[in-house]
Amino acid sequence: MLKISSLIMTISVLSFSVIANPESQKYLGFNYPHKAQNAVSITFDDARHSQVDVGTAILNRHQVKATFYVSPFNVKQRLTQWQDAVKSGHEIANHTSSHVCTGNFEWLRAQDLSLEHTTLKWLENDILSAQQYLKDHLGVTPRAFAYPCGNTFVGRGIDTKSYVPLIAKHFDSGRTWLDESANNPNFTDFAQLTGLRIDGMSFDEIITMLDQLRENNAWLILAGHEIGNRDQYTTDAKVLEQLLVYLKDPANGYWLDTVSNVSDYVKQQRKPLN
């Protein structure tokens, strides 16, 4: 009995060792342009007015192209400025027409809107409506999408359904929000790219986050909303300036480009994991 117990223990240890360090899970490495260690995309959600009132001037000054996930109801109020953003080379992406999130947000329930009480068909129509508006008024057909509030579902309880497959059907990528990890270029699901908050953060806090998450040649997608004086949903304009200078310095090892440009490159270069 003792010999059998020892044999079982030995097999268990060996099995754990194989699981913990399988050959198939060894990191394969990834090469970005200009010998960069990591890729970074700067993104902003909702088409907040400050993005074109303040943000695009900063980005243009540093010759950085951002990805803006926009909803038509905000674009309409700054249409000429958003058209200028397109001319400057920024990426315009889809963020739905109605910006429907979970009904835990009181302001959405006040409008009788919530993901818990909608359907995949309704949501698809809402997304495609935004797509048509952006094509008609900005002359672009968005290839990227961001989930409002980071929510990826409709329904509730046992009737809950993911709308990630819907995004994978219509777009080259979909980005979530308030994530804790960056994107491994050899593994990440393009329909569920992670997004890292930069609203309300100091320059030092953002750099610390980047340093903590840049292992395995990660692709870091930074996400903000307003641009101005730092607040819960505002990326500080001065911090944004500092960040762009830092990310553009080759010594820091970052390749900076839009979500769709990085996505295209990663898809072409990735090494499939077993």
Side-chain angles (χ1 to χ4, degrees), residues 155-161:
R156 61 194 306 155
I158 62 172
D159 296 319
T160 302
K161 294 180 176 129

Side-chain angles (χ1 to χ4, degrees), residues 39-43 45 69 145-147 150 152 173-185 187-197 209 213 218-223 259:
V40 173
S41 296
I42 306 287
T43 72
D45 292 4
Y69 296 100
F145 178 88
Y147 300 90
T152 61
S173 68
R175 195 219 71 205
T176 54
W177 162 242
L178 290 179
D179 292 295
E180 296 182 358
S181 67
N183 297 282
N184 182 320
F187 179 80
T188 194
D189 177 0
F190 291 97
Q192 299 183 85
L193 296 172
T194 62
L196 304 166
R197 177 179 69 91
M209 176 181 69
L213 298 178
W219 172 19
L220 303 113
I221 302 178
L222 308 182
V259 169

